[in-house]
Amino acid sequence: MFDAAIVGGGITGISTALQLQQSGKKCILLEAANIGSGTTGGTTAHLNDFFDTTFTEAINDFGKDNAQLLAEVGQEAIGIIETNLKNYNIDSNFERKKAYLFALDEKQEKQLEDIVDGASKVGHEMMYVDEILFLIPFKKQSPFLIRHSFIP
Ligand SMILES: Cc1cc2nc3c(=O)[nH]c(=O)nc-3n(C[C@H](O)[C@H](O)[C@H](O)COP(=O)(O)OP(=O)(O)OC[C@H]3O[C@@H](n4cnc5c(N)ncnc54)[C@H](O)[C@@H]3O)c2cc1C
């Protein structure tokens, strides 16, 4: 007998099963094909605590408290993956890196300001920088730095 059946052995199902197992539950993982053969097998494995939905959008749609929760769980999720990699000796080349968003025109510059503003409201660390490491032209003062992690 099992306490939980998890359908799908992608990162979502595997992570859920592991968390449940670590909390003492007996789990069965049901996978129709092969473990990690779905979308997870095709990912670029770039872990980011900054999402396609900006914190400004999250605040507008779900309120500040929920947007703050989103910011916190985004960072927590990366921490869980990092811990699992260490605990299970998974050779992944996990590295924490800086990431940059930059504006190419005035419209994007306004979008950046909104993004930075929303991020500051939920305590997500971002800052403007004058230089980026890449040879990409951008409007001065527009790029900013965000924390993110990367598994090649
Ligand atoms: C090209 C590409 C690049 C990406 N890059 C990134 C990235 O850099 N960073 C990022 O965060 N995200 C990225 N993503 C998105 C990310 O890969 C997915 O959000 C994530 O892998 C989804 O995982 P999942 O476990 O929810 O789904 P899946 O990995 O698709 O797992 C679902 C599993 O369920 C199984 N299944 C389905 N139906 C059944 C059933 N009835 N019974 C049993 N098993 C079933 C499938 O076989 C599959 O193995 C990328 C996606 C793609 C396609």
Side-chain angles (χ1 to χ4, degrees), residues 94-111:
F94 178 98
E95 276 183 77
R96 287 188 179 262
K97 299 276 193 187
K98 290 170 184 160
Y100 300 83
L101 293 182
F102 49 90
L104 296 173
D105 54 39
E106 283 182 13
K107 187 180 167 200
Q108 290 187 357
E109 207 170 13
K110 172 74 179 75
Q111 288 172 333

Side-chain angles (χ1 to χ4, degrees), residues 1-89:
M1 285 294 287
F2 295 94
D3 298 310
I6 295 105
V7 180
I11 186 131
T12 307
I14 293 280
S15 302
T16 304
L18 184 60
Q19 290 282 103
L20 286 170
Q21 186 175 288
Q22 285 169 342
S23 64
K25 303 288 180 197
K26 196 172 175 195
C27 305
I28 184 167
L29 184 68
L30 305 169
E31 168 53 51
N34 293 310
I35 298 289
S37 63
T39 319
T40 300
T43 181
T44 47
H46 170 245
L47 305 173
N48 203 342
D49 59 6
F50 183 87
F51 310 103
D52 291 349
T53 299
T54 67
F55 292 116
T56 302
E57 290 166 341
I59 291 168
N60 291 339
D61 291 346
F62 303 107
K64 193 179 159 202
D65 286 351
N66 287 321
Q68 199 146 5
L69 191 61
L70 175 66
E72 286 164 16
V73 298
Q75 291 173 28
E76 193 181 333
I78 295 173
I80 290 170
I81 291 173
E82 186 175 20
T83 301
N84 286 339
L85 293 172
K86 277 186 198 145
N87 288 350
Y88 298 101
N89 289 323

